[in-house]
Amino acid sequence: TSGEGAFSVDIIWSELTTGNQIDKAINEYHALGFRALYAETKTPLNGINDSTTENYIYWASEEDFAAKKFNYKETNLQPTEGTPIIFQIWTKINGKNQLIAETFPSVLQIYPNLTSVPDEGERQNFTLDADHIIAYIENITEAKAEPNSEYPTTAVDVSWTNPTSYEEGTKFYVAVTATDQSEPGNKPIVVKSVDYTAGTHTEGSVTIQNLKENHSYNLHFQVFASEGYSDNTMMLPNVTPKIVVETIDFADGSLQDSYIMGEMITIKAVVEPEEASVKDYTYTITDGNGNTKKGSSTDSDMSYTFPVSGTYTITITSSDNTSVEKSVTRDVRLAEPADLEYSYDDETHKVNLSWKEVESADGYTIIKTTDGSAEETLTTQTTSYADANLLSGHSYTYKVMATRTDGEGKYNSDYTDPTEKISVASSTINIQLPTNPADGKLGDILSGLSSKSIVLGDEENNSISISVSNDIGTAYKWILNNDFSIPISTSKDVLITEETEGLKKNAASGTTSNSLMLIVTIGGKDYSTTGYFNVVSSNKAGKLLSVNAPDDDEIVYYNAPEQLTLTFQNPDAPQPYITWTSSKPEVMTVSDNGTVTTLQKGEDVTITATVKDTNESKTITLTPYVKATGISLSVPETKYLIKEKKGVSVENGYKWEQFNLGISVESYEKEPSSTVEITMDREGIVTIDKNGNVTPVASGSVMITASIDDAKTSTTLILHDFDIYREGIVQAVTGTDVDTKGIAGSKTGKTYNFTIKTTNSIQSESELLNDLSFTWCFGNNPSDTIRGNFVVFSYELEISGAGLNGKIRRGSNIEEPIATIIIKNGSNDIGYIWTQTKD
C-alpha cells in the first residue's frame, strides 16, 4: 500500500561442491558475503557503490556458517514489473574484499501487497551451478609502469605482483589494457603476458608499445585462468611514456646581474615541458682561473659561494637530454677591503692606513678627501699606505677600493666607508702668556712640545716653530738644553731646526731628547717654563712593508737560487742594513744579500728580513722543491699482449699476464719533491697499481703515460684475444676439428675458409691488427710445412680490416694435419693459432 516492497532470499550451501572458490571462501578463508545489484548498471540495490564500505557487502555470520545458509533481504524497494538483477558472492583474500562469483541475471518483480516465490520452472535461475555462474579469481597487485629504456617516448614497461591465492600449479595469464585518456576515442591497446604458474612465478611484466608521445593512459588489469577470470580493474591511472625535456632555463629571480666575491647563490632551474618525466639536471660553474665546480639537482646542497673575482660561466644541463642546456656568464667583483684602520702620527706628520688583503686584487685605489670636498686619487699595490702630504690646519678622510688591472673596472670592489675626519693641527705652537706670569700658569705654555719631533734628514719635518702671541712681556730668552751660554734668541719667537746650535743630534739609539726653556722678564723679575722635544733618526726608506719573491712565485727550485727583494714605505730612498735568517737552513739557506738556495726537499721554510737599526722585521714563507729531470720505462714504446688458451700459444714474452712498467726517475742525485703520476687514455683495458704493476683486463689498445714534474714517457699496450671462425662459428680456439672426410685422394682438393678475429675489442679490429702480420704453415711446429703424406696443393693468405681471411685447399692422403697461423710483429714470432683437420 505504501508503494514500496521487499524481497528475501535464502542462500543455502548444504549441497556445495567442494574444491571451488566458494568452498575455499567457507572452509579456508572463512569469509562469505553477498550483494545484489541491478544487472544493467551494476549498482547495488541499496545505492552504496563502494566495495570498501562495510555495509556494501552482507557477510555471513558464525551462526550462518553453522547453519550453512544465509538470509539475504532488501527492503524499501520501488515497485517493478520486471527488473534484471544479479547476485555477487565475495570473500576476503589477503585482507582485501575479493569478488569470486557472479550469477547470470534473474528478473525481479515487486508489486504492492504481493508475496511471491519462484515456481519450479524458475528454480534453475536460483541454482548456482556451472551453467548459471561467472567465476572470478584474485587480480594482480602492486603494479607499476616505467618508460621503456629503448623506446622511452612510445613504450612503457609494466610490472606487477602475481596473485598468491591460486592453487600451486595453476596456469594463468594477465591481460593489460591501455586506454588513451588524451584521445578517448582511440582504440585501446591490449597486451597479454606469457603463461604463469602459481607458486612459481611471483612477478609478471609486459611492454606496451605504439603509445603516442605525451599522451596519458589508464591501465586496466585482468587475470585469466582455467578456473575463471578476475574483474577488469584500473590500477594505474594517467600513465605516460617518457616526456623528453625540450628546454631548460634558470628559474626567475635565481640569478642577479652581478655578484661580489663571497656572495652565495643557489642553482635553480626549470625544464619544459612541465610534464617532463625527468626534471633532474646537472650544473657546472667555471671561474676565470680554470677552476670548475660540478653538481646536480639531486644534491642536498646546491649552493655555491664565489671564491674570487672574475667572469664566471654557469651552465645547466638536462640529465634526461644532455643536448638541452643553458649557459650564462656573470661578473663577480672584488670584495670590499675589510678592517680599514688609520692613525695619525704627530711625530712624522703622516696618516698611516692599513686594511686586509683582498684575494685576486692587483692593487688598491684610495680616495683622499680634503676638508670634505676636494678629492685626490692615490694608488698602491700593498695593503697599507702612508700619506705625508698633509697641510696644517686641514682635515682629511680616506676610503679604499680593491682593483684589478683587467676588466676595465668591472671587477673593482665598492669603496669602504670613509674614515673618521683626521684633523692636522698647525705646525706652529702658539703660546698665549697669562696676564700675570706670577700667578703660576706660565708653566703650562710649553707642554705641547712633548708631542713634537725634529726628524733628521726629513726636509718636510725638520723644524719646530714657536711664537708667543701675548705681547705683555718686557723681555724673552730661550735656552736650549740648559746651556745658558748659548741663548737661541732674545726675541719672543724661536725656530728650532736640524742646524740649530746646541741641538743634541746623537740619534744612534733611535731618539734623543732635548729641553727648551723660556724665560720671561717682567718688571725686573724672571718667570720661566721648560718643555721637551725629540730628535728622531731618519730612516728615509720608511717602514718595511714586505719581503717579496720573484714574480710572486713562492717555490724555490733546487739548482735555481732566487733573489728576494724588500718593499719599503718610500721605495725610492736608500734601504737600511738588513739581516737575513732561515727557519730551516738545512733545507734552504739565505745569503747576506737575500739570495735563497734550496738544498733538498722538505717542509715550507720561513725567511725573515730584519732592519738592523729599528729591529722591525717581515717574513715570507717559501716552498723548497727538487724537480725530476727525466723518467723512463723498461717496456718498449709498443707492447703486444696475447691471451694464451686452448688453440693459442705465446712465445717471446708477449703473454697476457701481469707485468711491471719498470719506472725509473732521474734527478739531481736528490730525491724529487713530487711523485710519479700514471694515467691511461682509456679505461677498462688494464688496471695499474701505484707500484706500476699492470694487470690485463680486456682486449683493446691503451696508452699509459708516466709523468713527474715536466718529464713524461709513454707506452702503448695492445691486448689481443684471438679466435678462428669458420662460417661464423668459433673454430680453432675451442679445439673443434674440421671434418675433411670424403676428400681423400681428391686431385682438386677442397677449400676451407677461415677468419681470425680479436674478440671483445673496444677498438676497431683494423687498428688492433695494424702492426701484426700472419703466415700459414702446416704441422705441429711452424717450421714444418708437410706432415706425413699430407700434400699442400696451395694456400692463400689475406689480411684485412676484419682480421685474417685464410683459405686452405686440401689434397689427398691426409693424416690429421694441423694448420697453424703464425702471428708476427715485424720479424718476431709472438704467437701461434692452430686449427686441426681430420679424415
Side-chain angles (χ1 to χ4, degrees):
T1 56
S2 66
E4 294 182 347
F7 77 84
S8 175
V9 179
D10 285 330
I11 302 172
I12 305 169
W13 57 84
S14 59
E15 300 177 7
L16 180 66
T17 305
T18 61
N20 56 34
Q21 282 281 20
I22 300 176
D23 180 49
K24 291 181 181 180
I26 296 171
N27 298 307
E28 291 185 26
Y29 309 144
H30 206 68
L32 190 65
F34 303 94
R35 176 74 274 175
L37 303 94
Y38 293 112
E40 293 181 359
T41 61
K42 283 291 185 77
T43 57
L45 271 62
N46 66 357
I48 300 173
N49 198 24
D50 183 1
S51 62
T52 62
T53 303
E54 187 63 27
N55 56 355
Y56 176 86
I57 301 168
Y58 296 87
W59 294 99
S61 66
E62 293 294 332
E63 291 79 6
D64 297 329
F65 282 118
K68 297 186 178 180
K69 62 184 293 185
F70 179 81
N71 177 255
Y72 183 94
K73 188 173 184 178
E74 291 279 7
T75 61
N76 300 322
L77 300 176
Q78 295 298 314
T80 173
E81 295 182 1
T83 300
I85 65 170
I86 57 175
F87 281 95
Q88 291 182 339
I89 305 177
W90 292 73
T91 189
K92 286 185 179 290
I93 298 178
N94 298 326
K96 296 180 180 179
N97 296 342
Q98 172 67 46
L99 175 65
I100 59 174
E102 184 176 288
T103 69
F104 287 100
S106 297
V107 175
L108 174 67
Q109 295 182 359
I110 297 176
Y111 294 93
N113 304 315
L114 170 67
T115 299
S116 64
V117 296
D119 56 27
E120 290 299 322
E122 291 181 297
R123 283 194 175 275
Q124 63 177 351
N125 291 337
F126 295 92
T127 302
L128 304 187
D129 56 24
D131 295 329
H132 297 83
I133 192 169
I134 301 171
Y136 286 99
I137 57 179
E138 183 185 4
N139 209 335
I140 62 99
T141 59
E142 298 181 6
K144 65 178 181 179
E146 296 178 343
N148 179 264
S149 59
E150 188 172 1
Y151 304 102
T153 61
T154 59
V156 292
D157 295 329
V158 184
S159 59
W160 60 81
T161 301
N162 281 324
T164 58
S165 62
Y166 302 170
E167 185 176 344
E168 188 170 346
T170 300
K171 299 290 185 180
F172 64 93
Y173 68 87
V174 180
V176 184
T177 303
T179 305
D180 194 337
Q181 297 304 295
S182 302
E183 295 181 9
N186 289 345
K187 182 180 179 181
I189 300 173
V190 181
V191 180
K192 290 172 56 177
S193 73
V194 298
D195 288 338
Y196 299 120
T197 302
T200 300
H201 302 107
T202 59
E203 306 291 333
S205 64
V206 296
T207 296
I208 305 178
Q209 299 179 332
N210 301 320
L211 302 178
K212 291 192 174 182
E213 292 187 16
N214 302 336
H215 279 219
S216 177
Y217 293 83
N218 288 345
L219 301 188
H220 290 73
F221 296 82
Q222 194 169 16
V223 180
F224 294 86
S226 57
E227 62 184 43
Y229 51 89
S230 73
D231 54 343
N232 192 14
T233 304
M234 184 183 73
M235 292 188 176
L236 294 177
N238 301 319
V239 172
T240 60
K242 184 176 183 180
I243 300 177
V244 178
V245 173
E246 298 175 357
T247 62
I248 189 170
D249 204 347
F250 291 91
D252 290 343
S254 62
L255 293 179
Q256 302 171 192
D257 293 335
S258 66
Y259 292 90
I260 298 173
M261 55 186 287
E263 279 193 274
M264 184 180 73
I265 62 171
T266 299
I267 305 300
K268 294 181 180 179
V270 291
V271 298
E272 295 292 344
E274 187 176 352
E275 301 81 15
S277 300
V278 179
K279 293 188 176 182
D280 294 336
Y281 53 89
T282 60
Y283 66 88
T284 303
I285 303 175
T286 303
D287 66 15
N289 302 315
N291 301 313
T292 299
K293 164 70 183 301
K294 295 183 177 182
S296 168
S297 59
T298 59
D299 297 341
S300 58
D301 183 7
M302 295 180 64
S303 62
Y304 177 78
T305 302
F306 295 108
V308 295
S309 62
T311 298
Y312 286 70
T313 301
I314 308 172
T315 303
I316 48 177
T317 305
S318 167
S319 300
D320 175 50
N321 187 358
T322 55
S323 63
V324 175
E325 66 178 26
K326 179 64 177 276
S327 292
V328 298
T329 59
R330 288 295 184 269
D331 294 329
V332 176
R333 295 180 289 127
L334 292 164
E336 181 182 302
D339 297 342
L340 173 60
E341 296 181 353
Y342 67 93
S343 63
Y344 173 62
D345 191 334
D346 239 354
E347 296 181 1
T348 61
H349 299 285
K350 292 181 180 178
V351 170
N352 295 304
L353 302 170
S354 65
W355 53 89
K356 285 188 176 179
E357 182 180 7
V358 177
E359 188 175 356
S360 73
D362 297 329
Y364 303 90
T365 296
I366 304 166
I367 298 298
K368 171 185 176 182
T369 304
T370 303
D371 295 333
S373 58
E375 290 189 349
E376 178 183 358
T377 301
L378 311 171
T379 60
T380 179
Q381 291 182 317
T382 65
T383 57
S384 62
Y385 189 85
D387 183 18
N389 187 21
L390 306 176
L391 300 175
S392 300
H394 294 271
S395 63
Y396 303 90
T397 60
Y398 300 83
K399 58 183 180 180
V400 183
M401 173 179 69
T403 61
R404 279 177 52 168
T405 55
D406 59 340
E408 298 180 350
K410 66 181 179 180
Y411 301 133
N412 293 350
S413 75
D414 291 333
Y415 279 102
T416 62
D417 291 336
T419 63
E420 293 181 356
K421 185 168 64 174
I422 303 168
S423 298
V424 179
S426 173
S427 59
T428 301
I429 298 178
N430 295 311
I431 300 175
Q432 181 69 45
L433 289 179
T435 304
N436 182 9
D439 63 8
K441 294 182 179 180
L442 184 64
D444 297 332
I445 66 174
L446 293 182
S447 60
L449 271 180
S450 60
S451 63
K452 297 299 177 183
S453 300
I454 294 178
V455 182
L456 300 180
D458 188 343
E459 296 178 355
E460 295 181 359
N461 297 281
N462 62 356
S463 64
I464 296 177
S465 177
I466 303 174
S467 61
V468 178
S469 58
N470 195 321
D471 202 18
I472 66 171
T474 58
Y476 303 89
K477 182 179 289 187
W478 296 92
I479 305 297
L480 178 64
N481 291 326
N482 297 321
D483 189 352
F484 291 96
S485 62
I486 311 175
I488 296 176
S489 172
T490 56
S491 69
K492 66 176 181 180
D493 299 327
V494 65
L495 177 64
I496 301 174
T497 69
E498 183 181 353
E499 289 76 24
T500 299
E501 187 177 356
L503 183 67
K504 294 181 180 180
K505 303 178 184 180
N506 185 9
S509 61
T511 302
T512 299
S513 180
N514 290 265
S515 65
L516 181 65
M517 176 183 290
L518 169 62
I519 301 174
V520 180
T521 304
I522 301 176
K525 188 173 182 179
D526 293 339
Y527 300 90
S528 66
T529 182
T530 302
Y532 301 89
F533 62 94
N534 295 324
V535 174
V536 180
S537 175
S538 174
N539 171 16
K540 294 187 177 181
K543 184 179 180 181
L544 176 60
L545 301 177
S546 63
V547 183
N548 315 303
D551 300 324
D552 294 327
D553 184 0
E554 297 180 350
I555 299 176
V556 180
Y557 295 95
Y558 178 83
N559 206 35
E562 293 193 359
Q563 175 72 53
L564 302 180
T565 59
L566 301 174
T567 300
F568 285 88
Q569 205 165 20
N570 301 316
D572 296 331
Q575 293 186 1
Y577 183 77
I578 302 294
T579 58
W580 297 86
T581 57
S582 168
S583 64
K584 297 175 184 176
E586 72 280 4
V587 176
M588 184 185 297
T589 61
V590 59
S591 67
D592 291 342
N593 67 349
T595 300
V596 287
T597 302
T598 291
L599 304 180
Q600 61 184 3
K601 79 169 189 176
E603 301 295 327
D604 288 353
V605 178
T606 300
I607 303 296
T608 303
T610 303
V611 180
K612 184 176 181 181
D613 290 339
T614 62
N615 208 34
E616 60 177 323
S617 63
K618 289 290 180 181
T619 63
I620 187 172
T621 300
L622 303 174
T623 300
Y625 198 95
V626 181
K627 266 191 175 182
T629 58
I631 187 172
S632 60
L633 305 177
S634 64
V635 296
E637 290 184 3
T638 302
K639 181 177 178 68
Y640 292 88
L641 300 175
I642 296 179
K643 182 175 284 188
E644 190 171 51
K645 57 185 180 182
K646 186 172 181 180
V648 179
S649 61
V650 180
E651 293 188 4
N652 298 333
Y654 288 85
K655 191 176 295 185
W656 184 319
E657 60 187 5
Q658 189 184 79
F659 67 94
N660 190 275
L661 291 173
I663 301 171
S664 178
V665 176
E666 303 168 11
S667 188
Y668 298 95
E669 299 182 353
K670 297 282 185 180
E671 182 182 358
S673 298
S674 56
T675 57
V676 176
E677 180 182 5
I678 302 175
T679 58
M680 297 181 289
D681 68 343
R682 183 178 289 110
E683 298 293 334
I685 306 300
V686 298
T687 60
I688 308 175
D689 64 18
K690 63 180 181 180
N691 297 317
N693 294 313
V694 181
T695 302
V697 175
S699 297
S701 173
V702 58
M703 185 173 72
I704 301 172
T705 301
S707 58
I708 180 171
D709 295 328
D710 298 330
K712 66 171 58 177
T713 184
S714 300
T715 181
T716 299
L717 304 181
I718 302 178
L719 282 71
H720 290 287
D721 181 4
F722 288 117
D723 279 341
I724 290 183
Y725 292 79
R726 178 169 178 263
E727 297 178 355
I729 301 174
V730 177
Q731 184 67 38
V733 176
T734 61
T736 305
D737 297 335
V738 178
D739 187 1
T740 59
K741 288 183 179 180
I743 68 167
S746 169
K747 299 301 183 180
T748 60
K750 193 167 185 178
T751 299
Y752 295 96
N753 295 308
F754 299 93
T755 300
I756 180 171
K757 290 184 179 181
T758 294
T759 59
N760 301 323
S761 298
I762 63 171
Q763 270 184 300
S764 66
E765 293 177 359
S766 60
E767 182 178 350
L768 286 175
L769 300 173
N770 190 44
D771 295 325
L772 299 183
S773 62
F774 302 87
T775 303
W776 282 106
C777 69
F778 297 90
N780 288 324
N781 192 296
S783 62
D784 296 339
T785 57
I786 299 177
R787 181 173 180 264
N789 295 323
F790 172 62
V791 177
V792 180
F793 287 134
S794 66
Y795 61 90
E796 300 178 16
L797 185 67
E798 178 186 354
I799 298 175
S800 68
L804 174 72
N805 296 324
K807 300 180 180 179
I808 309 173
R809 284 203 290 274
R810 297 292 311 282
S812 59
N813 302 320
I814 301 169
E815 297 181 359
E816 300 187 6
I818 297 175
T820 304
I821 302 173
I822 306 173
I823 309 169
K824 290 177 175 287
N825 167 230
S827 61
N828 296 321
D829 295 349
I830 62 175
Y832 310 97
I833 302 179
W834 56 266
T835 178
Q836 185 170 0
T837 60
K838 67 180 181 179
D839 281 340

